[in-house]
């Protein structure tokens, strides 16, 4: 990854068909927000935590889930810690489409105690490097 352009490794949860479509062609911004909403605007959503990305992964017929480990160029980041970011989603999106920013970081960790979300609005900023297939297992209990 190239730190000079703020390129980072991030996770993206999807379905088997989604993983195939993304790796065969590209991320499709037309579908952005159609499956899980668009809290920070109609963009491509990523997480630094695979546990967050798992929330968006769907099991296939074998019981396996795909996560994409992608190189994402964040560039100049618009940081958002608004409690209700959906109310300003259009302005967040606009800030990255000619407004001087390249991505949004939604800091849900700070506001809700969950995970940060990373959003880009140009699929040229993303390269899905790996598809990681995994099986969800019940939590281990210490005895």
């Amino acid at each position: 990854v190239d730190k000079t352009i703020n390129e980072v490794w991030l996770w993206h949860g999807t379905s088997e068909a989604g993983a195939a479509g993304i790796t065969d062609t590209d991320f499709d911004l037309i579908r952005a927000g159609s499956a899980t909403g668009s809290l920070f605007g109609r963009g491509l959503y990523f997480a630094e935590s695979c546990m967050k990305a798992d929330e968006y992964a769907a099991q296939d017929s074998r019981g396996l889930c795909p996560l994409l480990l992608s190189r994402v160029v964040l560039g100049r980041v618009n940081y958002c810690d608004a409690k209700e970011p959906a109310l300003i989603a259009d302005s967040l999106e606009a800030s990255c489409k000619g407004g001087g920013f390249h991505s949004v970081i939604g800091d849900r960790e700070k506001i809700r105690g969950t995970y940060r979300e990373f959003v880009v609005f140009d699929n040229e900023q993303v390269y899905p490097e790996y598809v990681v297939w995994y099986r969800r297992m019940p939590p281990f209990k210490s005895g």
Side-chain angles (χ1 to χ4, degrees):
V1 295
D2 186 346
K3 301 278 185 208
T4 65
I5 56 174
N6 201 12
E7 183 180 30
V8 295
W9 290 106
L10 294 172
W11 296 100
H12 179 81
T14 189
S15 64
E16 177 181 23
I22 291 166
T23 56
D24 287 350
T25 56
D26 207 345
F27 281 91
D28 185 356
L29 275 164
I30 292 172
R31 295 182 181 186
S34 62
T36 57
S38 52
L39 190 62
F40 299 98
R42 292 172 305 278
L44 306 173
Y45 282 67
F46 297 88
E48 58 200 340
S49 167
C50 62
M51 291 175 58
K52 174 63 178 174
D54 173 70
E55 294 176 14
Y56 304 99
Q59 289 184 351
D60 68 6
S61 60
R62 303 166 295 171
L64 298 176
C65 301
L67 290 182
L68 301 177
L69 183 56
S70 301
R71 292 168 40 182
V72 182
V73 177
L74 297 176
R76 185 167 178 237
V77 174
N78 188 352
Y79 175 81
C80 178
D81 62 357
K83 289 187 179 181
E84 298 294 335
L87 299 176
I88 59 169
D90 288 341
S91 66
L92 291 170
E93 185 175 337
S95 77
C96 296
K97 293 181 173 180
F101 292 98
H102 304 105
S103 62
V104 171
I105 292 181
D107 198 345
R108 306 307 280 168
E109 184 175 40
K110 176 182 175 183
I111 298 303
R112 301 277 187 233
T114 58
Y115 301 99
R116 298 192 311 168
E117 299 187 47
F118 299 75
V119 189
V120 297
F121 301 90
D122 181 347
N123 60 348
E124 296 297 322
Q125 290 174 243
V126 181
Y127 182 75
E129 188 87 35
Y130 301 102
V131 180
V132 177
W133 291 93
Y134 64 99
R135 185 178 314 277
R136 291 182 180 128
M137 302 296 288
F140 293 103
K141 297 181 182 178
S142 58

